[in-house]
Amino acid sequence: MQPEHAQAVLGIHASGIATGTATFQSNPPTWDEFDAGHLAEHRFVALDGDTVLGWVAVSPVSGRCVYAGVVEHSAYVAPEARGRGVGRALLDHLLESAGAAGIWTVQSGVFPQNIASLALHEAAGFRVVGTRERLGLICRGPHAGTWLDVVLLEKRL
């Protein structure tokens, strides 16, 4: 993922936000916020020519040294590319990159309503660690006022 992908990456993120089942965020970050919050060596885009079909990136879960090998990932696929294996290809590439770099755990939080994401993670070997019930309240959009659970997933590398 390079700075020239910023507009497409943030646009795909916005389309995920619009589904109401991808994130608690109500607006995508700026590119500077995205760039600062994700590890540069573990963020990737899937391309069809010059068109970004999806992206995956990781953030450290903590600044404490005991968690240096633990990251949380996000993966988003453009609406027109969903169901075509883009998410799986991105996630597989991320897991390979993370493992080669000495990361030992990749985790994610997924809303139970996001059936496609849960199936993707299961197929990639993630396990359900638990469910955090009524973790967050949607503040804006069509689901405003709704409390959502978050399924915690992890893959040990």
Side-chain angles (χ1 to χ4, degrees):
M1 182 185 300
Q2 301 299 321
E4 61 264 23
H5 301 126
Q7 183 176 356
V9 166
L10 298 179
I12 291 168
H13 196 180
S15 70
I17 290 169
T19 68
T21 61
T23 179
F24 284 116
Q25 289 181 288
S26 54
N27 295 299
T30 66
W31 179 251
D32 287 341
E33 291 166 339
F34 183 97
D35 189 40
H38 295 89
L39 300 177
E41 61 273 19
H42 302 293
R43 54 185 185 195
F44 306 101
V45 293
L47 296 171
D48 181 5
D50 291 334
T51 302
V52 177
L53 301 177
W55 60 268
V56 65
V58 300
S59 301
V61 299
S62 174
R64 296 174 57 196
C65 66
V66 297
Y67 296 111
V70 183
V71 296
E72 181 170 6
H73 88 281
S74 298
Y76 286 79
V77 177
E80 64 276 9
R82 293 181 187 148
R84 295 178 26 202
V86 172
R88 180 63 191 265
L90 284 164
L91 190 51
D92 286 348
H93 190 72
L94 172 69
L95 294 171
E96 182 179 315
S97 168
I103 291 171
W104 60 81
T105 301
V106 178
Q107 66 184 37
S108 189
V110 177
F111 297 149
Q113 297 86 347
N114 194 337
I115 303 301
S117 184
L118 291 172
L120 168 65
H121 285 87
E122 181 181 2
F126 282 74
R127 71 181 182 101
V128 174
V129 177
T131 300
R132 299 178 78 184
E133 297 176 356
R134 295 174 49 93
L135 181 64
L137 180 66
I138 301 295
C139 299
R140 296 187 189 124
H143 304 289
T146 303
W147 286 94
L148 291 179
D149 296 347
V150 174
V151 178
L152 299 177
L153 303 154
E154 75 172 13
K155 170 121 179 162
R156 300 301 292 265
L157 305 177

